[in-house]
Amino acid sequence: MKALGRHILVEFSGCNAEVLNDVSIIERSMVEAAQIAGATVINSTFHHFSPWGVSGVVVIQESHLAIHTWPEYRYAAVDLFTCGDSVDPWVSFEHLKKAFQANYSALEMNRGSLHVIQKSDFQPKIMREKPSFDLSKGHQIDRNVWFTDKDENQALSLRYTGDVLFDETNPFQRVRVLDSYSHGKFLAINNMVMCTERDEYHYHEMITHPVMQTHGNAKNVLVIGGGDGGTIRELFKYNVDNVTMVEIDEAVVRASKEHLPKIACEFNNPKLNLIIGDGIQFVKDAPANSYDVIIVDGSDPVGPAKGLFTAEFYNNCKNALKDGGLVITQGESPMFHEGTFVELNHCLKGIFGKQSVHTMLFHATTYPSGMWSLQVAVKGSKHPAKDFNKDQAAKFAQDKGLKYYNEDLHTAAFSLPTFVKTMLGDNA
Ligand code: SPD
């Protein structure tokens, strides 16, 4: 051996840009590249930057593999560094070249050439204890991979195992199920968290129970979106006659049934009429006075959910509601999407009247900012914060074992901080 280590500096160009922007594919490829070359992986840390690009390092017992990607240039800078002669870094190189579908140029350098350095008689004063695991027998790799739901300035990140349980891209969107360390499995659409096993009930209970309790006797309910099944799970706690659910993307339903069974547990309910189709068109075509309650459980206003934030859609919802009916829609966040939050509220007030639109806030602990809104519009004169049977709501919440909604929160959720009232022009 003429040197302590081998260092390959790689320029990968002309790569697949989508791959270079996908933190889980990159992390997996780098870990595999190390393992295939015979290295012992100690841990991996990868980070997805905003708005794009990934950086990361795989620490191996024989040194490290590092990467930084620029998807917009279809370029990745990679360092493959190995000590000793048990691992061939060119094997890692070949693996990554294929994974990134890359052109390349690469340069190998010897590091710590024994022509220029000599071993000393250095003896560490303190010897480290033996590791608790036997590296030669294989061990759990400590992977540090993060999913980030973000805009250009703010983000919420969940660390996940690096394993991708479901990943499909269709003409509507990309649907993924990942496994986080703190919140269990979670559903992501495009790059946004939709629901996690740990806190999904905050959202699903609050999008369902305040309007159902206010109505008091809803029999025909329409859900637009909601493909994970959490909202229909809550609805079937009532004695409804039927629930029609219109979800545009069957992949969301399939992914949820397969990986989130505690959320997607009511798809076989005989009172469910599941339609895979366009909810916007469905509401447009719906006969007038058909539903007691409409729940708009859509994604954020990008891709197919954009149309769920328009006056035309809510005019059609109003038409489809029976007199006395209520529509509730997820209203984004006053802290993360101030513009959309305010616009939607004003749009609903323009259609239902100022006195008939009411905003709720709740804790959405895995949506960016943690503060999320729901907008309720009433085709009638009821006030959803006040006109409900408190005793009945209390009994229902207790009997059904609800974990977020209760009779006090029903009213409290409609009490808004002053800055939010100011945003909405509601404190005049
Ligand atoms: N940014 C997240 C907004 C998501 C709203 N819908 C969630 C679907 C849960 N059923």
Side-chain angles (χ1 to χ4, degrees), residues 149 192-195 203-204 226 228 231 297-300 330 332 337 367-368 372:
D149 182 340
M192 296 166 291
V193 176
M194 290 296 120
C195 56
Y203 176 96
H204 292 125
D228 51 66
T231 296
D297 180 9
S299 180
D300 304 86
Q330 80 88 358
E332 299 293 305
H337 304 106
Y367 294 166
W372 217 258

Side-chain angles (χ1 to χ4, degrees), residues 187 195 204 223-236 243-276 297:
L187 173 72
C195 56
H204 292 125
V223 178
I224 302 296
D228 51 66
T231 296
I232 57 167
R233 178 195 64 199
E234 295 307 310
L235 279 172
F236 284 122
V243 173
T244 298
M245 176 168 141
V246 191
E247 165 60 56
I248 200 160
D249 188 355
E250 66 76 33
V252 177
V253 177
R254 190 158 36 86
S256 306
K257 278 180 165 175
E258 207 174 312
H259 297 288
L260 302 166
K262 289 197 175 125
I263 302 175
C265 56
E266 287 287 349
F267 278 103
N268 291 330
N269 193 306
K271 290 181 178 175
L272 176 68
N273 172 24
L274 171 62
I275 298 169
I276 300 297
D297 180 9

